[in-house]
Amino acid sequence: MSNTALYTSNDFILISLPQSAQPSTSNIKADDWLNRELLEGKVYVSDFDIPEFQIGSLDSLVVESEELSKIDNQLEQSITKIVDILGGLSEANSNNYKTLPINSVPLPEYLEHFHWNTRKFKLDKSIKTLINDITNESLQLDSDVKATSSNYNNARQQLVAADRKKTGDLSVRSLHDIVKPSDFILNSEYLTTILVAVPKSLEKNFVNSYETLADNVVPRSASCLATDSEYCLYNVHLFKKSVNKFCQACRENKFIPRDFQYSEELIESLKKEHDEAASLENSLRIELVRLAKTAYSDIFMNWFHIKALRVYVESVLRYGLPPQFITKIIAVPPKLLSKCKQELTKNFGYLGGNAFVKDKKGNIKHNDSSLHEYASLVDTDYQPFVMYTINL
């Protein structure tokens, strides 16, 4: 059996079967059938090593089953969000978990060799305690990523705002890196300088009319300081007492007076603001990438520990005590998931007995009196044996 499917698959099936189970179409052991005959051997099947856990009452197992289902979905959502965050930072393909390692090994390798981490989650604890330990750690990691992501997004917005001041068109951008002292009349009691962003289509009108827009405009004082694709930036010298009237007339003629007072201190402050915004954005980006990759790996491992607990609890509820069942993880080649599940149901559907009654469309008949009470209580997607589909 080639492990090509393991590294090309996005779909995996976790399955648990009684040790005594045999496929209905063959007299060989279930383990051998899964490896040799399922999809004509195109799948890759690995042991999914689950230890024995401390079991309480049947009622507690049913409650834990419901809780595990909810936590399973929560952790999957957390992982998806983290991958999306990393995708937005160009650190991962947001549609493919397998671009990131799990505990320093490729994801397929981690799945192939999964085993319970007894150092981290000790087996002398109850299932309920293990669920709480795994959940609390995962939620804290998720919370840390969310907080860091929020801080990064705020810093990113500040940098975008600073960049806009620096890179927008001449009607909005900061002008501190364009103008120079000689463009202004400085330290005069009566005279000052106004900067005006003039649409290129109106440049001729401005040049011909600026001297008459207000009293006391210095004749022939306008100079073009810069241009971009939309605007020309002009300076105009005039008496301070005429500034308000001049600016009003500019607006009426669709010229844009810029609120700018030349100051070496201001220029330095704006430059510092941009540099600090860029530095903060970069440092928070580095922190977010590091934290998200670590959290992804840890939450993914926790997710599969929850799946191990879920398979164990469901298997005990389905197959009874003592726990005697085999658990496998199956890597399904692309586009063959539906066919794979159909083959599994065809060969092991008998395990559901009368509880597994379907209508003509293949849906479980929940109102059928023969439906097992447990099936309708904890598993709306009831299968005749323990099986979970994982799409990565």
mmCIF file of all heavy atoms in Angstrom, residues 67 71 127-137:
data_model
loop_
_atom_site.group_PDB
_atom_site.id
_atom_site.type_symbol
_atom_site.label_atom_id
_atom_site.label_comp_id
_atom_site.label_asym_id
_atom_site.label_seq_id
_atom_site.Cartn_x
_atom_site.Cartn_y
_atom_site.Cartn_z
ATOM 1 N N GLU A 67 -20.630 16.737 25.066
ATOM 2 C CA GLU A 67 -19.640 17.784 25.291
ATOM 3 C C GLU A 67 -18.489 17.682 24.297
ATOM 4 O O GLU A 67 -18.018 18.690 23.743
ATOM 5 C CB GLU A 67 -19.120 17.698 26.725
ATOM 6 C CG GLU A 67 -18.224 18.864 27.127
ATOM 7 C CD GLU A 67 -17.831 18.813 28.591
ATOM 8 O OE1 GLU A 67 -18.306 17.902 29.310
ATOM 9 O OE2 GLU A 67 -17.040 19.673 29.011
ATOM 10 N N ILE A 71 -16.982 20.505 21.634
ATOM 11 C CA ILE A 71 -15.586 20.952 21.698
ATOM 12 C C ILE A 71 -14.846 20.620 20.409
ATOM 13 O O ILE A 71 -14.010 21.396 19.932
ATOM 14 C CB ILE A 71 -14.885 20.310 22.909
ATOM 15 C CG1 ILE A 71 -15.540 20.799 24.205
ATOM 16 C CG2 ILE A 71 -13.402 20.643 22.921
ATOM 17 C CD1 ILE A 71 -15.138 20.013 25.427
ATOM 18 N N ILE A 127 -12.073 11.154 32.302
ATOM 19 C CA ILE A 127 -12.341 11.716 30.973
ATOM 20 C C ILE A 127 -12.817 13.153 31.094
ATOM 21 O O ILE A 127 -12.404 14.028 30.317
ATOM 22 C CB ILE A 127 -13.383 10.848 30.233
ATOM 23 C CG1 ILE A 127 -12.773 9.496 29.861
ATOM 24 C CG2 ILE A 127 -13.886 11.557 28.971
ATOM 25 C CD1 ILE A 127 -13.738 8.542 29.185
ATOM 26 N N LYS A 128 -13.660 13.433 32.063
ATOM 27 C CA LYS A 128 -14.162 14.796 32.269
ATOM 28 C C LYS A 128 -13.016 15.763 32.536
ATOM 29 O O LYS A 128 -12.967 16.865 31.966
ATOM 30 C CB LYS A 128 -15.138 14.811 33.456
ATOM 31 C CG LYS A 128 -15.658 16.194 33.834
ATOM 32 C CD LYS A 128 -16.515 16.783 32.734
ATOM 33 C CE LYS A 128 -17.138 18.090 33.182
ATOM 34 N NZ LYS A 128 -17.925 18.726 32.098
ATOM 35 N N THR A 129 -12.061 15.366 33.379
ATOM 36 C CA THR A 129 -10.915 16.229 33.682
ATOM 37 C C THR A 129 -10.040 16.433 32.450
ATOM 38 O O THR A 129 -9.563 17.542 32.188
ATOM 39 C CB THR A 129 -10.077 15.629 34.826
ATOM 40 O OG1 THR A 129 -10.900 15.481 35.987
ATOM 41 C CG2 THR A 129 -8.894 16.529 35.165
ATOM 42 N N LEU A 130 -9.829 15.368 31.691
ATOM 43 C CA LEU A 130 -9.034 15.488 30.465
ATOM 44 C C LEU A 130 -9.695 16.454 29.482
ATOM 45 O O LEU A 130 -9.026 17.287 28.864
ATOM 46 C CB LEU A 130 -8.863 14.110 29.815
ATOM 47 C CG LEU A 130 -7.942 13.123 30.536
ATOM 48 C CD1 LEU A 130 -8.044 11.742 29.903
ATOM 49 C CD2 LEU A 130 -6.492 13.610 30.512
ATOM 50 N N ILE A 131 -11.015 16.361 29.348
ATOM 51 C CA ILE A 131 -11.749 17.277 28.460
ATOM 52 C C ILE A 131 -11.530 18.720 28.912
ATOM 53 O O ILE A 131 -11.246 19.607 28.098
ATOM 54 C CB ILE A 131 -13.252 16.937 28.444
ATOM 55 C CG1 ILE A 131 -13.485 15.587 27.772
ATOM 56 C CG2 ILE A 131 -14.041 18.029 27.725
ATOM 57 C CD1 ILE A 131 -14.924 15.100 27.870
ATOM 58 N N ASN A 132 -11.650 18.961 30.212
ATOM 59 C CA ASN A 132 -11.478 20.323 30.734
ATOM 60 C C ASN A 132 -10.063 20.838 30.511
ATOM 61 O O ASN A 132 -9.859 21.995 30.127
ATOM 62 C CB ASN A 132 -11.825 20.363 32.223
ATOM 63 C CG ASN A 132 -13.309 20.200 32.481
ATOM 64 O OD1 ASN A 132 -14.131 20.483 31.599
ATOM 65 N ND2 ASN A 132 -13.677 19.748 33.667
ATOM 66 N N ASP A 133 -9.073 19.974 30.762
ATOM 67 C CA ASP A 133 -7.671 20.387 30.595
ATOM 68 C C ASP A 133 -7.381 20.771 29.141
ATOM 69 O O ASP A 133 -6.757 21.802 28.863
ATOM 70 C CB ASP A 133 -6.725 19.264 31.034
ATOM 71 C CG ASP A 133 -6.716 19.062 32.549
ATOM 72 O OD1 ASP A 133 -7.259 19.936 33.263
ATOM 73 O OD2 ASP A 133 -6.187 18.024 33.009
ATOM 74 N N ILE A 134 -7.821 19.920 28.225
ATOM 75 C CA ILE A 134 -7.574 20.176 26.801
ATOM 76 C C ILE A 134 -8.310 21.433 26.353
ATOM 77 O O ILE A 134 -7.756 22.278 25.636
ATOM 78 C CB ILE A 134 -8.002 18.960 25.957
ATOM 79 C CG1 ILE A 134 -7.135 17.746 26.295
ATOM 80 C CG2 ILE A 134 -7.904 19.278 24.462
ATOM 81 C CD1 ILE A 134 -7.621 16.453 25.662
ATOM 82 N N THR A 135 -9.556 21.557 26.788
ATOM 83 C CA THR A 135 -10.367 22.708 26.369
ATOM 84 C C THR A 135 -9.803 24.005 26.898
ATOM 85 O O THR A 135 -9.681 24.987 26.151
ATOM 86 C CB THR A 135 -11.817 22.534 26.855
ATOM 87 O OG1 THR A 135 -12.347 21.311 26.352
ATOM 88 C CG2 THR A 135 -12.681 23.689 26.365
ATOM 89 N N ASN A 136 -9.450 24.044 28.175
ATOM 90 C CA ASN A 136 -8.936 25.280 28.776
ATOM 91 C C ASN A 136 -7.653 25.741 28.103
ATOM 92 O O ASN A 136 -7.472 26.939 27.837
ATOM 93 C CB ASN A 136 -8.700 25.075 30.278
ATOM 94 C CG ASN A 136 -9.994 24.925 31.054
ATOM 95 O OD1 ASN A 136 -11.043 25.365 30.594
ATOM 96 N ND2 ASN A 136 -9.927 24.290 32.212
ATOM 97 N N GLU A 137 -6.755 24.802 27.837
ATOM 98 C CA GLU A 137 -5.494 25.180 27.173
ATOM 99 C C GLU A 137 -5.771 25.710 25.765
ATOM 100 O O GLU A 137 -5.202 26.726 25.354
ATOM 101 C CB GLU A 137 -4.553 23.988 27.099
ATOM 102 C CG GLU A 137 -3.240 24.312 26.376
ATOM 103 C CD GLU A 137 -2.352 23.105 26.210
ATOM 104 O OE1 GLU A 137 -1.748 22.678 27.209
ATOM 105 O OE2 GLU A 137 -2.263 22.593 25.073
#
